[in-house]
Amino acid sequence: MKVNKEISCYTCENKCDIYDVLEHNATDLLNVKPVHVTFKKNEIICKQGNNVTHGIYIVSGTAKLLIEGINHRYIILHILKPHNYVGLLSFFESHKYLYSVYALEECKVCMVDIGFIKNLYRENRQFLCKLNEAFGKSVAMIMKKLITLNQKNIRGRFADSLLYLAELNKSKSFNLLLTRKELGEFCAISEENIVRLLSEFKNEKIIDVNKKHINIIDEVLLRKISEVG
Amino acid sequence: MKVNKEISCYTCENKCDIYDVLEHNATDLLNVKPVHVTFKKNEIICKQGNNVTHGIYIVSGTAKLLIEGINHRYIILHILKPHNYVGLLSFFESHKYLYSVYALEECKVCMVDIGFIKNLYRENRQFLCKLNEAFGKSVAMIMKKLITLNQKNIRGRFADSLLYLAELNKSKSFNLLLTRKELGEFCAISEENIVRLLSEFKNEKIIDVNKKHINIIDEVLLRKISEVG
DNA sequence: AATTAACATTGATTTATATCAACTTATTTA
DNA sequence: TAAATAAGTTGATATAAATCAATGTTAATT
């Protein structure tokens, strides 16, 4: 973890919603005082149960957002990429993170004091709406996950995850940053069964797998499986 | 479903957050134009996928909030009682309900135009905070449900639900408004296994069951089961 | 370069839970 | 009040998916 306070929104190459909103207000922009922090692979960006002190915005890299359940078992809810907010969900609720975020590869994030964000939220209607919208989407997504994990069989869940990752990477061919175990935590399947499903889908000519690289060959069929299992 | 528009917040016996917030603003209070609607048992109060047109507040009765999943299978998320809001979660997200609400017994609700609520939300800081807080709690609750349904065995899940219902009714002895099937939809257990669990827990002297009436005898043990399954 | 640790794979076995089937008891509806 | 429908119950059976165990492969560390 490496901290850099010597940055300014004016010269930032990764302008975020906050900048967009403040663009016309020089005084506020001067007060933002953003901090860039670089996390190495596997480092904790935020930890479930800890106080929410900052709004966090992914500048570069990839991270996993997970809830820590019983007996050190996890459910990965999201894979975060640049321009995603971390801590959104927790912002509304009390003051503790409801989940943890870990870097899957080197990650640079921009942190803004939560007090500043709350003020902005209260005073700026545009910001309020943007944040609400993003928040609403997260909730919709969790509810969808609840249905998926509960009512689909492992083939359906697995297909869902592959489609999610393809969309995330904006390509049918992508590099898996997750281990087999983590992929399991993403669709609530045991590590062993993930391995079996990978070769099963490969045999059925639905995907191509080579170590960490996945290529979706038959997207139509994958969508069908996601629906009917 | 029976509608009554002849009501006024001034004389209402079930003053809600909206009233509290508007108390000092006579003009707004005149503009609220609330509508009271009475739903009979099993009637739909709001339907997943429909447009969100009103903020809904439970005045009397009990309702179930559920998400409709695959092949007409449901997951009941909440049991709603007086002073709960319906439609909270959906307010932020797009304009469609993410879930349905059905009356479990005769229910009277108060409906306020969503436009009015959105205005209030934007203009009144106190209301904003109240709504955000309630919203955050819902999210925390759904995430807890996600873990529970995924990582606990049926005994643990069943114990959880009994504890939830006791808390809801503010008593260890309560009348179940849910059928065995619905209780199953609440903890993602088949109807048959719900029946088996009821008699299992009865035999183990953890609860007393008589048709729809449940009495929790050994709360300590029930909490233990909820933790370790 | 050698050793260790993390990650991945495969087959066999177990188990928790759903499903099926048959039946009883309540609650509506005609 | 009978007939029909819904709700509840019980035991037997099936099965999806986890777990266990053994082993191979890759990556990290001394």
Side-chain angles (χ1 to χ4, degrees), chain B residues 122-139:
Chain B
R122 279 194 280 258
E123 280 157 22
N124 190 302
R125 187 177 295 201
Q126 195 192 336
F127 188 65
L128 170 101
C129 291
K130 279 200 174 188
L131 223 55
N132 270 355
E133 202 184 313
F135 194 26
K137 276 185 189 146
S138 293
V139 174

Side-chain angles (χ1 to χ4, degrees), chain A residues 14-16 55-59 83-86 108-110:
Chain A
N14 299 279
K15 305 267 194 282
C16 62
I56 304 175
Y57 179 80
I58 309 266
V59 174
H83 314 307
N84 278 145
Y85 285 105
V86 177
K108 196 200 270 180
V109 306
C110 178

